[in-house]
Amino acid sequence: MSRYVLALPPRGVLLFTISIALGFIALTIASYQLKTNTSIAIDGLSGMIHIAFWSFLIFIASRTEVRLPIQAAISHVFVVALAVAILFPPWISPLLAALMRFGDKPGSGTYVWYKDVFNRAQGGLATAVAAILWHSINSTSLIEIEGVIVQPYIAILVASAAYFVTNVGVVAYVIHLSSGVPIRKVWHENFRWLAGSYLLLSPVALFLANSYQTPLVGGWGGFTVLVFMLLLYFSRFYWDEKVKLEDSFNATIDTLVQALDAKDTFTRLHSERVAAIATDLAQVKGLDEADRRKIAYGARIHDIGKVGIPDDVLLKPIRLTSQEFELIKSHTTRGAEILKPAARYFKEVLPIVLYHHERWDGRGYPEGRAGDAIPLWARIVCIADAYEAMTAGRSYSPPKSPQRAMQELEDLAGDQFDPELVKLFKGIWLQDPIWKDREVFLRSYTSPVPSLDLPLPSRSESGSATSPKSG
């Protein structure tokens, strides 16, 4: 029998989770005090059936989520929760939103109690805010425009916007606390592209509530709601397919990288080791987790352009002629051309592919950039690539010892390499990271036991099963 250990999150995450839970409880109690007129009575067997039906819809919606790039997921819970806020007294919807979210089971290998508490509390909090606003606006005098009562439409737009801001704001902040990624970047990566569809879908809640109150089929509004919920889930595929499309691009590029590494035993796992080195260097440089993931990915595909270099040149066992070396140098621009059709997905890592052979003194390629004109991420990968290549060796050049490679980096600091980054690199190197010795890295990488020093997972792996959930 396995023993369950009560793990604690970082202090900031724990305190924020507690504050969100307390806020949810306080607003639910406050909403109970509101005097409202709702069309559905919650007493008796009929009321229990109504609540059970909408509880079921919230449960199903919470189970059909889409993973987002940075430690989060989104679902259609918000549409159902808003419909419940319209139909029932305002304290019902936040309770259902919190209680009917079910993810991993307690005691399972992927269950994390504080993430479960956070997901329930933030969902309940956002729903409570929306429910209070909806009922407060509708309890005022009627608002008419040219004889048309527009109050419900104003109320749902205000409630929807409040739900969105509360939900996304809370989730973005907890991701910031747990990962160190700036809130603005969390918004840009996870939610910016969702905002439009998210807000446009929210008035559907009003339609669902009205359909439930006015049956169109079989004398029960639930049939109409179920039909339109099925149609609603087609919009989910837009979100899901966008994420899957990015993953498919990543998988395709990964396959090309693996094929490239398989050509030459000297470059076996070259890109993976470069990614591991670059990730560590980016961390000591002070870059956040989101940037480190992108740098790791860019490092893994930095040599993708070599797939277009003939094998007799790429694998030549003796030194290259000047003409052949020019062909090898073209792998930077070739790589950028390969990724160009999918530039919208790779735009942030394209500079790594294109500029990782530029030199600090301006004598590199392909553009002869110098100093800070070379993108930082490319300068980081440049050092990682050089150290890996020196310690791996090539068919025409034996591998150098880690000590000798480190010395060459220092000798060339200010000429070939960014001198500040070389100093930071040496600080890591002196701590004997797993990538310092190539053979140790290869043994560790192929071991069935994962190592914390391995490259960070790609975007497709970044969302855990217990990530904070939006929606």
Side-chain angles (χ1 to χ4, degrees):
M1 181 180 294
S2 61
R3 185 178 64 178
Y4 180 71
V5 179
L6 187 65
L8 291 177
R11 185 170 179 269
V13 173
L14 179 60
L15 292 176
F16 185 63
T17 300
I18 292 173
S19 68
I20 294 302
L22 293 176
F24 156 62
I25 294 171
L27 281 185
T28 303
I29 294 173
S31 66
Y32 184 77
Q33 308 299 321
L34 287 178
K35 294 182 179 180
T36 60
N37 294 320
T38 54
S39 59
I40 297 181
I42 61 172
D43 54 339
L45 179 60
S46 175
M48 296 301 294
I49 292 175
H50 291 311
I51 292 176
F53 174 73
W54 286 96
S55 297
F56 170 75
L57 291 183
I58 289 178
F59 169 75
I60 294 299
S62 69
R63 302 289 291 181
T64 54
E65 62 187 27
V66 177
R67 297 293 169 190
L68 299 178
I70 306 181
Q71 302 181 2
I74 191 167
S75 68
H76 276 134
V77 169
F78 71 97
V79 175
V80 185
L82 288 172
V84 175
I86 295 169
L87 291 168
F88 295 93
W91 59 274
I92 294 290
S93 53
L95 284 179
L96 294 187
L99 296 177
M100 296 311 298
R101 288 174 179 257
F102 291 95
D104 302 299
K105 296 180 179 179
S108 67
T110 54
Y111 179 79
V112 181
W113 71 268
Y114 56 86
K115 290 185 178 180
D116 186 27
V117 170
F118 173 83
N119 287 330
R120 293 175 184 273
Q122 64 87 11
L125 177 67
T127 306
V129 171
I132 290 173
L133 286 172
W134 164 265
H135 287 282
S136 297
I137 294 173
N138 279 293
S139 65
T140 61
S141 57
L142 294 179
I143 303 173
E144 295 186 23
I145 298 179
E146 296 183 356
V148 178
I149 298 175
V150 297
Q151 197 158 348
Y153 305 105
I154 295 174
I156 193 61
L157 289 175
V158 172
S160 301
Y163 185 103
F164 178 77
V165 171
T166 304
N167 180 236
V168 169
V170 168
V171 171
Y173 188 68
V174 82
I175 293 174
H176 163 70
L177 288 176
S178 62
S179 67
V181 179
I183 295 177
R184 184 176 181 180
K185 185 170 293 184
V186 175
W187 158 262
H188 180 81
E189 294 289 330
N190 277 353
F191 304 114
R192 183 178 63 86
W193 62 278
L194 286 168
S197 58
Y198 193 112
L199 294 176
L200 286 173
L201 281 173
S202 55
V204 174
L206 184 59
F207 174 79
L208 292 178
N210 290 335
S211 299
Y212 191 70
Q213 293 171 293
T214 309
L216 300 177
V217 180
W220 179 52
F223 292 127
T224 306
V225 171
L226 288 174
V227 169
F228 280 97
M229 284 298 293
L230 289 175
L231 297 176
L232 178 65
Y233 281 115
F234 279 104
S235 70
R236 170 185 176 270
F237 290 113
Y238 163 72
W239 300 346
D240 202 19
E241 289 305 312
K242 180 183 184 299
V243 175
K244 289 180 179 178
L245 182 60
E246 291 189 32
D247 289 345
S248 67
F249 276 123
N250 292 341
T252 300
I253 297 301
D254 287 346
T255 300
L256 291 175
V257 171
Q258 291 171 12
L260 184 63
D261 279 353
K263 285 185 177 183
D264 188 356
T265 57
F266 287 95
T267 61
R268 177 170 170 259
L269 293 177
H270 165 74
S271 296
E272 302 295 348
R273 189 172 174 223
V274 172
I277 299 169
T279 301
D280 282 355
L281 185 52
Q283 184 172 9
V284 297
K285 178 61 179 173
L287 300 181
D288 60 50
E289 182 181 346
D291 284 348
R292 295 198 302 269
R293 288 181 182 275
K294 291 173 185 175
I295 290 171
Y297 188 74
R300 293 185 68 238
I301 65 173
H302 73 283
D303 277 341
I304 191 67
K306 288 184 178 178
V307 298
I309 305 298
D311 285 358
D312 59 343
V313 175
L314 189 64
L315 306 179
K316 188 175 180 179
I318 57 176
R319 289 196 175 275
L320 302 173
T321 65
S322 58
Q323 184 178 6
E324 290 169 337
F325 185 56
E326 288 299 318
L327 184 59
I328 289 289
K329 286 166 62 177
S330 71
H331 78 275
T332 56
T333 52
R334 288 172 184 261
E337 286 297 318
I338 289 173
L339 299 178
K340 188 175 181 180
R344 62 179 297 187
Y345 301 110
F346 295 106
K347 62 181 179 181
E348 292 183 283
V349 299
L350 273 175
I352 293 176
V353 176
L354 190 58
Y355 299 123
H356 67 277
H357 279 295
E358 296 286 5
R359 290 172 54 108
W360 185 257
D361 59 12
R363 294 190 291 120
Y365 61 89
E367 296 179 6
R369 294 193 176 200
D372 291 333
I374 307 169
L376 174 61
W377 295 7
R379 283 180 271 147
I380 289 173
V381 172
C382 174
I383 292 175
D385 185 36
Y387 181 83
E388 205 293 320
M390 285 190 287
T391 53
R394 293 294 183 264
S395 57
Y396 54 82
S397 176
K400 295 179 173 64
S401 68
Q403 292 73 21
R404 178 58 186 161
M406 183 67 247
Q407 185 60 56
E408 288 205 21
L409 288 178
E410 289 186 295
D411 292 343
L412 293 171
D415 293 327
Q416 184 171 347
F417 307 110
D418 181 334
E420 179 191 355
L421 290 179
V422 171
K423 290 180 181 178
L424 294 175
F425 179 88
K426 186 171 185 180
I428 310 170
W429 185 87
L430 291 173
Q431 298 174 22
D432 291 326
I434 198 167
W435 46 257
K436 181 176 181 178
D437 185 290
R438 189 169 192 271
E439 292 305 316
V440 172
F441 178 84
L442 294 182
R443 287 197 300 270
S444 175
Y445 195 91
T446 55
S447 168
V449 180
S451 167
L452 293 177
D453 291 299
L454 295 184
L456 289 168
S458 65
R459 288 168 63 108
S460 62
E461 299 168 320
S462 64
S464 71
T466 51
S467 299
K469 297 175 184 177
S470 173

